[in-house]
Structure formats: structure tokens, C-alpha cells
Amino acid sequence: MGRRFRVAFIFVAVAAIVGCARRPSVEEARAFLDQAEARLRALSEEASRAAWVQSTYITDDTEILAAKANQRLIEATVALVKQSRRFDGVNLPPELARKMKLLRLSLTLAAPSDPKESEELTRIAAAMEAAYGKGRSCPEGVTDPAKCLDINQVTRVMAESRKPDELLSVWRGWHAVGAPMRKDYQRFVDLANKGAREIGYADMGAMWRSKYDMPPDEFAREVDRLWDQVKPLYLSLHAYVRSRLREKYGEKVVPANGPIPAHLLGNMWAQSWENVYELVAPKDTGPAYDLTKILKARNTDARQMARYGEQFFTSLGLAPLPQTFWERSLFTKPRDREVVCHASAWNVDNVEDLRIKMCIEPTEEDFITIHHELGHNFYQRAYNKQPMLFRDSANDGFHEALGDTIALSITPEYLVKLGFLDKPGDPAKDTGLLLRRAMDKIAFLPFGLLIDQWRWKVFSGEIPPEKYNQTWWELRTKYQGVAPPVARSESDFDPGAKYHIPANVPYTRYFLAHVLQFQFHRALAREAGCKEPLHRCSIFGSKAAGQRLNAMMEMGMSRPWPEALKALTGEDRIDASAILEYFAPLMKWLDEQNQGKPVGW
Ligand code: X8Z
Ligand code: ZN
């Protein structure tokens, strides 16, 4: 016994002297991960606090403070990733092996180890997000900010105006927000790639694609497979909407068989079209209700909008939001300071300091977005008992799908329960209802896909800076079938006018979410005992559905996502059959409408 000990001791001492690593033990790996988790937890809280203040009070100072806190978090993570390499080849129990893997995947922005470069990168990141937050749409030639529109005003014009000239002016003005970011973005890509390479990825896009419990190339193929499944539905919707818009705006504005001009679809990015529903509504089965009108007529204020959202989640048996949520959230756009209005949900201390930041307006769009944001919050709280490295959704598509799943339960029957409607309307006349949903959910799919098709190629270098804008529009035309309403050039940088590019938020998550939410909804509707067609099912008040949902949410990221999917749905593949089933009656109707009309562009 004594001898064996001595031999081992000598071996360790020699290994330490010559610098050659003895293989570390499982216990050392455990201790390393415990410390890593504690450190990441502290630094992430600090970075969140700084980011919160930056986003809700944009100034030069908050920008620098947020950048610095983010730099500390990223540098520490990169250092931990590098240290974790010494456990390569150690046979770890599954939980520790998963933590090791997730540590290496935990960044969405990697920074080079040179502190000057990591400082430059985090400063650029903070500056781009702030520039977006401060963005204004100014009419051509105007520089007086008082004559320009902020993002909420721009959103309203895009949703409500039916004058092509006015829409064009606002569209052009907002897209000008991107141009000054071009140089920064180019440098951002170089530095971020350098950081990604240092921790073992080919580039940032490869790093992002590695987060799905499968080889990155296989993930890219999965995404293509899903798109192929839903594409026929998108093509039918596109053809129908184009022909109706052509009736409205005339042959000079909307081509018979080409892409639709991107400013006519009710949204700055043409990413969801529900705001122009009335222009394409079926003539005999129009909308049974207009939620925006109802909310306005009831003088629903921002907090009340959030209360409606919370009430849905508590009806499932989930605990109410903490008091601090109501005290610390930002619900309305402040009059006297710049904020990032793009909606987001936070868990500042990774326990239950839950908040949303959103410039809420009483519209249907925001009513749904509130449910989306609260979905993040309820998910965040459900996994807060997991170890730090597992405090995330099964994959990022799950996080984005959660609240949308709940919002699919905002059915006419549910609106009757809220006292918003007298009667739920006749289910035999649901084409309008389905078309309206499709204008949101189906219209979004190609947009959700193309953003990262562009970014993946930008990060890999396949798209060089001198082709940033051209390729952006090639992809928008290829996938969405939309065209810029005025000529664009490389002096523009239109990707910068979409929040997630300057804010560096990966986007494939939303594409996945738009498929997953229908899969979730179908499973939960069954759990709730709904026998109606899927679009008439609401899980409001179903404790059984709530339990099923909660069991999945509590898992956080502790298991590969197919297991979480299985816990909720019994299926272990992402699959478009639910979204196709949901819209099957509409598909049939659209194909009838499209008889003899051109499809595609
Ligand atoms: O960014 C969001 C959420 C916050 S995670 C409001 N969404 C995407 C977008 O607005 O572009 C939700 C749908 C897609
Ligand atoms: Zn979200």
C-alpha cells in the first residue's frame, strides 16, 4: 500500500516537472466543472445587469460598461474552454461529458485571446446593438431627428398604411440604418471568426451549427429537409397573396409572376404578413374579429397585456411571475431616453429575476409577442434548478417555440372566455382564420431560414464583404420571393436593418421554432383532450397539458434535445407533419384559388 502510493506520488511529481500531463481523474473534472459553473454564473449575472442597463438606457457610458462586462464573460469562457482540453480523452460519466461539451458550445460570440482584440470585438458588438436601438427612419434628405420615425412608429406605418409611396419612404429610411454598420460588421466577422478558431471551430457559423446534438453538417441538412416539407405551402400562399395584392395595387406595382415588392407586406422585413390580411381576406369568409380593434376599444394598457399572458401560463398550473417581474420589466417605450425596443425576455440572476423588455402597443401582433416573451420567462424559471451549464432550453428552437405554442391557443373560444368576443364563430367558415395564421406562421418560414443561410456564408468567407448586400437580396428573392422596392447597392447594408444581425442573435432558432410549435401544440392539444381541428384547440386551463409542458421545460438542456421532444410529444424528430396538418384545409383552399394563376417567381 505504502509503496504503491510512493510510486504514484513520484509519477505525479515527475509529470509535473517535465510538464507532461498525467491523465486527470473524473473527480478533477468534476471539480473543474463545479468551479467553471460558479464562475460563469457570477460573470453572466454581471454581464446581464450591464446589458439590461445598456438596453434600457442607451448612452456612451452604458455601452462601454456593457461591453466590458461582456468581454469579461467571454474571456473567462474562452479560457475555461481551453483549460477543459486537458480532460480530453478522460472517460467521464455522461453528465460530466455533456457539461464539458456544452461549456465548449456556450458562447454565441467567441473572442480572440488577445485582450485588445476581445475589447475591440465586444465594443463593436455593443455599438452595433446601440446603433440599431437608436435607429430612425428619416424621409430622403431629412436630417432633423424630430421629423424621423422610431421603430414603433415605423412598425405602425408598415402595418397600417396602404399608400405605396409612404411605405416606400419609411422602408427606405429604415434600411438606411444599416449602411453605417457595414465596416463594423466586417471587422466583427473577422474578429469573431478568429475567436471561434481559437476554440476549435472552423468559423462562427460552424460553431453555431454545432449546438444541436448532431454533426453540424447533418443539422444543415435537417434544416433543408424541413424547408422542403413546408415549401409547397409557402409557394401557394405567396401566389395567392401576390395575386390579391396585384388587384389592390395594380399591375405596375405588383408583377404577375415575379417577386413581391418587399414594402407591401405589412412588415419592415416582409417576415410576417398578418397586417395585410384584410387586403387578401376571402370574400365570403372574412375575419370573425379584429383583435387590435378589440384591444384598443378596451383601452388595454401595456401591463394589462402582460397580465393576459401571465394568466394563460398560470391557467396551466404554473406559478405566477414573481413580484420583481412587475417592478423591473420595461413595458412601454420611455419618452425621454433611447432604449432597444426589440422585445426580449431575461433571467438576470439565472434564478428568478425574470423580466421582459418590450415597447408594448395594444395590437394583435404585440398580444402574441407577449406570450412569446413570457414563454421564455416561464421556461427560464422551470430549469433554474438545473446545474448552470444545463440552464437553457433543449435547443434554441425550443426556447423560441414555447411562448408561440401557447399563443396558438389564442382561439376564438379563448377570446370568448376573456370577454373579447361574444361568440366563437362558425368553425365551418374558418378559412379566414387559417389564412390569417398562415400570413404570420407560413410567411415567416423562408425568412427564418435565409438569415443564417446568409450569415453562415458570411462567416465562412463564401460571401465576401463586397457582396454582402447583393447576396442578401439574392437569398431574400430565392427563399421569400420578395424584391427590394428600390435599387440596392454595396453602399447599403440592409442586413444591418434587421435587429438580429447587429445584435448577433442566431436566427435558425426561429425557423425551427415555427415548425416545432405546431408539433408541441398538437401534442398538448391531445393531452388536453381536444378533439377539434388543431386550429380550434386551446389548452387554456388544462393542468394535464401544463404538467407535460413543465416536465419538458424542467429538463433544461440536461439531455439531448430529441429526448426533451420525446418527453413532450412522444416523437424524437423535428417534423413538419403537424404544421401541414394544421393548415391542410387552407392548403386545399389556396390551391383552388390559385387555379390558372402563376405560382413561384
Ligand atoms: O426576435 C424575436 C422575438 C424575441 S426572441 C421578439 N422574434 C423574431 C423576430 O422578431 O424577428 C420572434 C419571431 C422572429
Ligand atoms: Zn424569442
Tab-separated table of all heavy atoms in Angstrom, residues 135-166:
chain	number	residue	atom	x	y	z
A	135	GLY	N	-31.846	53.749	-33.924
A	135	GLY	CA	-32.164	53.964	-35.339
A	135	GLY	C	-33.455	54.745	-35.556
A	135	GLY	O	-34.412	54.619	-34.800
A	136	ARG	N	-33.465	55.547	-36.604
A	136	ARG	CA	-34.663	56.296	-37.001
A	136	ARG	C	-34.819	56.205	-38.508
A	136	ARG	O	-33.826	56.139	-39.232
A	136	ARG	CB	-34.526	57.792	-36.655
A	136	ARG	CG	-34.472	58.119	-35.165
A	136	ARG	CD	-35.836	57.976	-34.492
A	136	ARG	NE	-35.790	58.392	-33.087
A	136	ARG	CZ	-35.355	57.634	-32.088
A	136	ARG	NH1	-34.914	56.416	-32.334
A	136	ARG	NH2	-35.353	58.085	-30.855
A	137	SER	N	-36.066	56.228	-38.947
A	137	SER	CA	-36.333	56.264	-40.381
A	137	SER	C	-36.622	57.705	-40.782
A	137	SER	O	-37.635	58.273	-40.364
A	137	SER	CB	-37.530	55.372	-40.703
A	137	SER	OG	-37.923	55.548	-42.043
A	138	CYS	N	-35.722	58.289	-41.563
A	138	CYS	CA	-35.901	59.683	-41.971
A	138	CYS	C	-36.283	59.737	-43.444
A	138	CYS	O	-35.724	59.001	-44.252
A	138	CYS	CB	-34.609	60.468	-41.756
A	138	CYS	SG	-34.024	60.384	-40.054
A	139	PRO	N	-37.216	60.640	-43.799
A	139	PRO	CA	-37.512	60.822	-45.226
A	139	PRO	C	-36.238	61.246	-45.953
A	139	PRO	O	-35.351	61.830	-45.340
A	139	PRO	CB	-38.547	61.958	-45.232
A	139	PRO	CG	-39.070	62.034	-43.835
A	139	PRO	CD	-37.992	61.538	-42.934
A	140	GLU	N	-36.169	60.966	-47.253
A	140	GLU	CA	-34.943	61.268	-48.010
A	140	GLU	C	-34.542	62.730	-47.847
A	140	GLU	O	-35.368	63.630	-47.950
A	140	GLU	CB	-35.161	60.959	-49.499
A	140	GLU	CG	-34.404	59.731	-49.924
A	140	GLU	CD	-34.419	59.531	-51.424
A	140	GLU	OE1	-35.441	59.844	-52.058
A	140	GLU	OE2	-33.391	59.046	-51.946
A	141	GLY	N	-33.276	62.964	-47.561
A	141	GLY	CA	-32.761	64.328	-47.458
A	141	GLY	C	-32.981	64.991	-46.109
A	141	GLY	O	-32.467	66.069	-45.835
A	142	VAL	N	-33.770	64.354	-45.236
A	142	VAL	CA	-34.076	64.961	-43.930
A	142	VAL	C	-33.057	64.507	-42.890
A	142	VAL	O	-32.703	63.329	-42.834
A	142	VAL	CB	-35.498	64.562	-43.471
A	142	VAL	CG1	-35.755	64.985	-42.031
A	142	VAL	CG2	-36.536	65.150	-44.400
A	143	THR	N	-32.568	65.419	-42.073
A	143	THR	CA	-31.647	65.014	-41.003
A	143	THR	C	-32.183	65.387	-39.620
A	143	THR	O	-31.697	64.891	-38.618
A	143	THR	CB	-30.265	65.673	-41.174
A	143	THR	OG1	-30.461	67.066	-41.420
A	143	THR	CG2	-29.491	65.042	-42.325
A	144	ASP	N	-33.177	66.267	-39.580
A	144	ASP	CA	-33.753	66.668	-38.292
A	144	ASP	C	-34.459	65.468	-37.650
A	144	ASP	O	-35.475	64.999	-38.162
A	144	ASP	CB	-34.756	67.815	-38.550
A	144	ASP	CG	-35.470	68.221	-37.272
A	144	ASP	OD1	-35.142	67.650	-36.201
A	144	ASP	OD2	-36.356	69.096	-37.348
A	145	PRO	N	-33.909	64.978	-36.513
A	145	PRO	CA	-34.482	63.760	-35.908
A	145	PRO	C	-35.961	63.905	-35.555
A	145	PRO	O	-36.689	62.912	-35.531
A	145	PRO	CB	-33.649	63.553	-34.634
A	145	PRO	CG	-32.554	64.568	-34.665
A	145	PRO	CD	-32.801	65.538	-35.769
A	146	ALA	N	-36.392	65.124	-35.313
A	146	ALA	CA	-37.798	65.323	-34.953
A	146	ALA	C	-38.722	64.945	-36.111
A	146	ALA	O	-39.897	64.657	-35.903
A	146	ALA	CB	-38.026	66.775	-34.544
A	147	LYS	N	-38.183	64.936	-37.334
A	147	LYS	CA	-39.024	64.594	-38.497
A	147	LYS	C	-38.883	63.119	-38.879
A	147	LYS	O	-39.352	62.679	-39.932
A	147	LYS	CB	-38.633	65.466	-39.680
A	147	LYS	CG	-38.842	66.953	-39.421
A	147	LYS	CD	-39.084	67.698	-40.737
A	147	LYS	CE	-39.501	69.134	-40.505
A	147	LYS	NZ	-38.351	70.027	-40.234
A	148	CYS	N	-38.165	62.366	-38.046
A	148	CYS	CA	-37.920	60.956	-38.359
A	148	CYS	C	-38.748	60.057	-37.441
A	148	CYS	O	-39.235	60.509	-36.414
A	148	CYS	CB	-36.433	60.641	-38.188
A	148	CYS	SG	-35.389	61.739	-39.171
A	149	LEU	N	-38.874	58.798	-37.835
A	149	LEU	CA	-39.725	57.877	-37.075
A	149	LEU	C	-38.887	56.823	-36.352
A	149	LEU	O	-37.921	56.291	-36.911
A	149	LEU	CB	-40.690	57.151	-38.020
A	149	LEU	CG	-41.579	58.025	-38.924
A	149	LEU	CD1	-42.494	57.131	-39.767
A	149	LEU	CD2	-42.422	58.987	-38.084
A	150	ASP	N	-39.273	56.501	-35.113
A	150	ASP	CA	-38.591	55.411	-34.403
A	150	ASP	C	-39.225	54.078	-34.796
A	150	ASP	O	-40.198	54.033	-35.557
A	150	ASP	CB	-38.626	55.645	-32.878
A	150	ASP	CG	-40.045	55.617	-32.330
A	150	ASP	OD1	-40.870	54.823	-32.831
A	150	ASP	OD2	-40.342	56.387	-31.391
A	151	ILE	N	-38.686	52.993	-34.259
A	151	ILE	CA	-39.109	51.666	-34.741
A	151	ILE	C	-40.588	51.391	-34.481
A	151	ILE	O	-41.256	50.758	-35.311
A	151	ILE	CB	-38.219	50.533	-34.146
A	151	ILE	CG1	-38.559	49.157	-34.745
A	151	ILE	CG2	-38.286	50.471	-32.633
A	151	ILE	CD1	-38.259	49.006	-36.202
A	152	ASN	N	-41.136	51.903	-33.385
A	152	ASN	CA	-42.564	51.667	-33.144
A	152	ASN	C	-43.424	52.416	-34.157
A	152	ASN	O	-44.418	51.877	-34.660
A	152	ASN	CB	-42.950	52.088	-31.715
A	152	ASN	CG	-42.778	50.949	-30.724
A	152	ASN	OD1	-41.938	50.068	-30.932
A	152	ASN	ND2	-43.558	50.960	-29.664
A	153	GLN	N	-43.004	53.645	-34.473
A	153	GLN	CA	-43.775	54.416	-35.461
A	153	GLN	C	-43.653	53.793	-36.851
A	153	GLN	O	-44.634	53.701	-37.597
A	153	GLN	CB	-43.256	55.867	-35.473
A	153	GLN	CG	-43.546	56.576	-34.166
A	153	GLN	CD	-42.790	57.907	-34.050
A	153	GLN	OE1	-41.603	58.001	-34.387
A	153	GLN	NE2	-43.480	58.929	-33.574
A	154	VAL	N	-42.445	53.325	-37.154
A	154	VAL	CA	-42.209	52.669	-38.434
A	154	VAL	C	-43.059	51.396	-38.551
A	154	VAL	O	-43.676	51.116	-39.585
A	154	VAL	CB	-40.700	52.316	-38.514
A	154	VAL	CG1	-40.451	51.197	-39.487
A	154	VAL	CG2	-39.892	53.543	-38.898
A	155	THR	N	-43.102	50.646	-37.468
A	155	THR	CA	-43.885	49.409	-37.446
A	155	THR	C	-45.352	49.717	-37.729
A	155	THR	O	-46.021	48.996	-38.477
A	155	THR	CB	-43.742	48.714	-36.067
A	155	THR	OG1	-42.348	48.491	-35.841
A	155	THR	CG2	-44.493	47.400	-36.001
A	156	ARG	N	-45.831	50.804	-37.134
A	156	ARG	CA	-47.232	51.170	-37.322
A	156	ARG	C	-47.520	51.548	-38.783
A	156	ARG	O	-48.507	51.106	-39.360
A	156	ARG	CB	-47.602	52.326	-36.389
A	156	ARG	CG	-49.098	52.494	-36.234
A	156	ARG	CD	-49.446	53.504	-35.147
A	156	ARG	NE	-48.644	53.325	-33.939
A	156	ARG	CZ	-48.276	54.321	-33.124
A	156	ARG	NH1	-48.630	55.562	-33.375
A	156	ARG	NH2	-47.577	54.074	-32.041
A	157	VAL	N	-46.641	52.347	-39.362
A	157	VAL	CA	-46.865	52.738	-40.765
A	157	VAL	C	-46.859	51.491	-41.662
A	157	VAL	O	-47.745	51.311	-42.498
A	157	VAL	CB	-45.788	53.736	-41.256
A	157	VAL	CG1	-45.959	54.007	-42.751
A	157	VAL	CG2	-45.863	55.037	-40.470
A	158	MET	N	-45.874	50.631	-41.449
A	158	MET	CA	-45.794	49.431	-42.298
A	158	MET	C	-47.057	48.582	-42.155
A	158	MET	O	-47.523	47.971	-43.103
A	158	MET	CB	-44.569	48.579	-41.941
A	158	MET	CG	-43.225	49.217	-42.228
A	158	MET	SD	-42.970	49.810	-43.902
A	158	MET	CE	-42.877	48.301	-44.828
A	159	ALA	N	-47.607	48.537	-40.942
A	159	ALA	CA	-48.787	47.708	-40.696
A	159	ALA	C	-50.050	48.348	-41.253
A	159	ALA	O	-50.922	47.659	-41.763
A	159	ALA	CB	-48.949	47.473	-39.194
A	160	GLU	N	-50.144	49.678	-41.178
A	160	GLU	CA	-51.439	50.319	-41.437
A	160	GLU	C	-51.548	51.045	-42.761
A	160	GLU	O	-52.638	51.169	-43.313
A	160	GLU	CB	-51.764	51.299	-40.292
A	160	GLU	CG	-52.050	50.562	-38.992
A	160	GLU	CD	-52.230	51.497	-37.808
A	160	GLU	OE1	-52.254	52.735	-38.012
A	160	GLU	OE2	-52.329	50.983	-36.672
A	161	SER	N	-50.415	51.574	-43.273
A	161	SER	CA	-50.508	52.381	-44.485
A	161	SER	C	-50.764	51.487	-45.697
A	161	SER	O	-50.260	50.369	-45.790
A	161	SER	CB	-49.236	53.186	-44.712
A	161	SER	OG	-49.276	53.773	-46.009
A	162	ARG	N	-51.550	51.986	-46.618
A	162	ARG	CA	-51.789	51.275	-47.868
A	162	ARG	C	-51.343	52.133	-49.049
A	162	ARG	O	-51.780	51.914	-50.177
A	162	ARG	CB	-53.285	50.922	-47.995
A	162	ARG	CG	-53.842	50.089	-46.829
A	162	ARG	CD	-53.211	48.700	-46.750
A	162	ARG	NE	-53.744	47.930	-45.628
A	162	ARG	CZ	-53.001	47.444	-44.624
A	162	ARG	NH1	-51.690	47.667	-44.587
A	162	ARG	NH2	-53.553	46.747	-43.657
A	163	LYS	N	-50.500	53.130	-48.750
A	163	LYS	CA	-50.006	54.005	-49.824
A	163	LYS	C	-48.583	53.597	-50.168
A	163	LYS	O	-47.668	53.785	-49.361
A	163	LYS	CB	-49.992	55.458	-49.355
A	163	LYS	CG	-51.352	55.995	-48.999
A	163	LYS	CD	-51.224	57.468	-48.595
A	163	LYS	CE	-52.494	57.937	-47.921
A	163	LYS	NZ	-52.195	58.834	-46.790
A	164	PRO	N	-48.375	53.049	-51.374
A	164	PRO	CA	-47.036	52.565	-51.729
A	164	PRO	C	-45.932	53.609	-51.530
A	164	PRO	O	-44.844	53.273	-51.093
A	164	PRO	CB	-47.186	52.184	-53.206
A	164	PRO	CG	-48.623	51.863	-53.367
A	164	PRO	CD	-49.365	52.755	-52.424
A	165	ASP	N	-46.235	54.886	-51.827
A	165	ASP	CA	-45.190	55.918	-51.687
A	165	ASP	C	-44.766	56.096	-50.235
A	165	ASP	O	-43.587	56.222	-49.925
A	165	ASP	CB	-45.697	57.271	-52.206
A	165	ASP	CG	-45.819	57.248	-53.713
A	165	ASP	OD1	-45.344	56.255	-54.313
A	165	ASP	OD2	-46.398	58.198	-54.269
A	166	GLU	N	-45.773	56.125	-49.375
A	166	GLU	CA	-45.481	56.303	-47.957
A	166	GLU	C	-44.719	55.088	-47.417
A	166	GLU	O	-43.726	55.209	-46.683
A	166	GLU	CB	-46.792	56.481	-47.189
A	166	GLU	CG	-46.604	56.796	-45.722
A	166	GLU	CD	-47.934	56.945	-44.971
A	166	GLU	OE1	-48.977	56.470	-45.467
A	166	GLU	OE2	-47.920	57.532	-43.876
